[in-house]
Amino acid sequence: MTDRVLAIDGGNSKTAVALVDTDGRVLARVRGPGASPQNVGLERSLEVFDGLVREAARAAGVADGGFVAAHTAAYLAGADLPQEEEDLRAAIEARGWSAATVVGNDTFALLRAGTTDGIGVAVVCGAGINCVAVAPDGRTHRFPALGRISGDWGGGGHIGSEALWLAVRAEDGRGEPTALLDAVRAHYGTATLAEAVQRLHLAEVEFDPHALCPLLFEVAAGGDAVAQAVVDRLVEEVVLLARVSLTRLELLSEPVDVVLGGGVLTGTGPVVVEAVARRLGEVAPAARVRVVDVPPVVGAALLGLDAVGASAGAESRLREAYEGSAAGAGSGAVVRR
């Protein structure tokens, strides 16, 4: 038990668990459904986490019951406020997986996954959007990331909803002409979007805005000005989040890493990422924009290894075990400006 770290990356769409030793060797890794407490409730979240932890323990040959590891590093979507982090920590601690437990927002795991020391800024855009920053002296900056009520703009659901909104308005005359209209009609398999809207309203069709997000990027890539305006707005928001964090921590002129992650950012290739690098370079010329190239659970594990004073070489060994398992620019490469 004393030489193991339990890492949990709990996202909105998936949960990843890794059990590693203090030399950075992966003893077991398992994945399961998303279990954000904001989406499924605390009890269901704990059920999912517990099932995956026990599965990982069995895979690693750890006896069921009692401690699984010396330290649990759980970095979770839905741990957006200090109170939520503390409530989750207490609930996870009560499960008895380890002697010590740390709970934080999953964006901190992204930051550690994309850096060698956990210093810098991380912006994630997946189901939602968030940003955290850590200064060399330990100061942190973060946003509540509670959606529109906390001033957020972005995320797959938001962008997908924009695609439908713009297409509907193009059809009924309130908006500008856009190729989104034909694309969204084809998505729903209807002759008109008015028909699709009626079916959505009557719950005959499930509204999944996340499915429309990649469609918007495809239309933008085809030269559509209306769709491109949404992509430009996302670039603006990512740069704004990073700039505010760098400014608040007095790092705007420092050579720090800005790590980008999440399915929306990493799934668009260079379209958004290189635009972010160019724009951020105008206000923070020393910043290095990187795309994370390992899953966030690696960041959670690294934070756990940091906490227990892992052996030299543990980080490189852990990273090698996950090499090539996440979309990105490769080896945390700095993105061209």
Side-chain angles (χ1 to χ4, degrees), residues 4-9 15-21 24-31 52-53 56-57 60 68-69 71-74 295-302 318 321-322:
R4 294 192 295 270
V5 165
L6 174 65
I8 304 174
D9 167 45
T15 301
V17 171
L19 191 59
V20 305
D21 68 17
R25 287 187 289 263
V26 179
L27 306 176
R29 49 181 170 180
V30 297
R31 289 180 60 173
L52 292 172
V53 168
V68 172
H71 182 86
T72 295
V297 70
V298 173
L302 288 170
L318 176 60
Y322 280 88

Side-chain angles (χ1 to χ4, degrees), residues 172-305:
D172 68 19
R174 288 179 291 175
E176 296 295 319
T178 171
L180 284 168
L181 176 54
D182 287 340
V184 177
R185 280 174 182 161
H187 176 80
Y188 286 110
T190 56
T192 67
L193 273 190
E195 179 186 349
V197 168
Q198 178 175 311
R199 294 177 66 189
L200 289 166
H201 175 69
L202 297 175
E204 296 172 356
V205 175
E206 180 182 1
F207 179 42
D208 181 9
H210 298 281
L212 295 175
C213 180
L215 183 149
L216 182 137
F217 283 98
E218 290 171 11
V219 171
D224 184 81
V226 172
Q228 184 60 48
V230 178
V231 176
D232 293 342
R233 177 69 180 84
L234 175 61
V235 170
E236 177 185 343
E237 189 68 15
V238 172
V239 172
L240 181 61
L241 287 166
R243 179 178 63 77
V244 169
S245 292
L246 289 168
T247 301
R248 294 293 173 86
L249 293 183
E250 301 172 294
L251 299 174
L252 204 58
S253 61
E254 299 298 317
V256 296
D257 293 319
V258 176
V259 180
L260 306 181
V264 173
L265 291 182
T266 60
T268 59
V271 174
V272 173
V273 173
E274 291 189 2
V276 168
R278 287 194 300 272
R279 290 281 304 279
L280 188 60
E282 297 170 4
V283 294
R288 300 177 294 259
V289 177
R290 301 176 179 272
V291 179
V292 69
D293 63 344
V294 291
V297 70
V298 173
L302 288 170
L303 287 165
L305 291 172

Side-chain angles (χ1 to χ4, degrees), residues 52-97:
L52 292 172
V53 168
R54 297 305 169 188
E55 182 182 347
R58 288 192 297 271
V62 178
D64 203 7
F67 284 158
V68 172
H71 182 86
T72 295
Y75 289 85
L76 313 172
D80 296 312
L81 302 175
Q83 179 182 336
E84 291 171 327
E85 290 177 334
E86 178 54 30
D87 290 345
L88 283 162
R89 186 202 59 77
I92 288 175
E93 196 171 66
R95 292 278 165 160
W97 299 331

Side-chain angles (χ1 to χ4, degrees), residues 5 7 23 44 53 70-71 105 109 115 119 123 187 191-192 258 295 331:
V5 165
D23 289 324
R44 176 55 184 160
V53 168
H71 182 86
N105 184 268
T115 61
I119 303 302
V123 182
H187 176 80
T192 67
V258 176
S331 302

